[in-house]
Amino acid sequence: MDFSANKNIFIMDHPLIKHKISMIRDENTGTNEFRKLVEEIAMLMGYEALRDLPLEDVEVKTPIETCMTPMIAGKKLAIVPILRAGLGMVGGITALAPTAKIGHIGMYRDPESHQPQEYYCKLPSPIEQRTIVVVDPMLATGGSAVDAISQIKHHGGKHIKFMCIIAAPEGLKKLSETHPDIQIYVGNLDRCLNENAYICPGLGDAGDRIFGTK
Ligand code: PRP
Ligand code: URA
């Protein structure tokens, strides 16, 4: 599948991101290192995803003179991790935007049907005016991201970005077709899904690798 014509899909090409993604794929990368790398990748991707944040000129007195100089306008950002694995990306983005509010959406994939099941939703309120960055390291079938974003829209969210570290073409297609109005940032587009709806080559179960569970 070729997504290059879709102006709302951004596939990262920075060598630092590519390098760190290769490190988290490695089955020998342990929990501590994995967690640090996920956070670093999220920060590098966040730098790209937040490049259109609105600025406003404010007055600042330098040691030389007073000037008008741009700063991020207001405190209008919300980060929404999809639990659990999305939690691993939050620190990377708050390192860039420490005043962002943080919401949570709990989703797990049913192991048999692979359908997402929602179990928690708490979003900053009001959400309408905020730029909302939904984060989850993995976009596989796309079911979890599609439902999480539908839920955010249902609560009034309008300016939505989705950020994942690894996507399967199947999930990227589903998400971009179901929510064509959102911007999607992808660290790497992998080959395909396997029969268990895991991404190939992927990195395995992101939640288990971040939290050291099985
Ligand atoms: C993983 C991942 C995504 C979802 C992606 O979560 O973090 O949320 O699967 O799959 P999909 O695109 O097919 O919906 P999981 O359900 O394993 O829950 P966890 O984060 O709690 O481990
Ligand atoms: N969820 C994961 O954590 N990994 C996959 O490859 C697919 C879904």
Side-chain angles (χ1 to χ4, degrees), residues 19-126:
H19 178 84
K20 288 175 195 291
I21 291 176
S22 298
M23 290 175 78
I24 58 173
R25 288 187 193 282
D26 188 336
E27 63 177 5
N28 293 315
T29 299
T31 303
N32 189 29
E33 183 71 358
F34 191 91
R35 226 181 261 148
K36 274 198 285 188
L37 286 162
V38 164
E39 205 167 296
E40 287 168 9
I41 295 165
M43 183 166 68
L44 293 167
M45 291 184 67
Y47 177 79
E48 195 54 42
L50 300 180
R51 66 162 58 247
D52 60 354
L53 277 185
L55 293 168
E56 65 188 357
D57 278 346
V58 298
E59 192 176 283
V60 168
K61 190 170 179 308
T62 78
I64 309 298
E65 62 178 32
T66 299
C67 64
M68 297 300 287
T69 190
M71 283 197 171
I72 307 250
K75 294 177 183 168
K76 297 235 175 70
L77 192 65
I79 305 166
V80 180
I82 300 178
L83 307 181
R84 292 174 299 167
L87 283 174
M89 297 174 73
V90 173
I93 305 178
T94 53
L96 300 173
T99 59
K101 298 273 194 280
I102 300 172
H104 296 88
I105 293 195
M107 295 266 178
Y108 72 91
R109 288 201 320 179
D110 181 272
E112 302 299 323
S113 68
H114 309 131
Q115 293 305 305
Q117 314 289 322
E118 186 187 319
Y119 59 88
Y120 187 76
C121 180
K122 181 83 178 168
L123 301 174
S125 178

Side-chain angles (χ1 to χ4, degrees), residues 160-173:
I160 302 172
K161 296 168 185 276
F162 177 81
M163 196 192 287
C164 65
I165 295 179
I166 295 183
E170 296 89 331
L172 187 55
K173 180 171 188 296

Side-chain angles (χ1 to χ4, degrees), residues 85 109 136-141 166 193-194 196-208:
R109 288 201 320 179
D136 191 327
M138 310 303 276
L139 181 66
T141 65
I166 295 183
L193 296 175
N194 69 13
N196 297 316
Y198 271 81
I199 301 174
C200 304
L203 50 73
D205 186 305
D208 283 345

Side-chain angles (χ1 to χ4, degrees), residues 10-19 21 45 48 186-188:
F10 304 86
I11 299 177
M12 303 294 112
D13 58 3
H14 198 290
L16 285 173
I17 296 177
K18 296 288 175 208
H19 178 84
I21 291 176
M45 291 184 67
E48 195 54 42
V186 177
N188 197 77

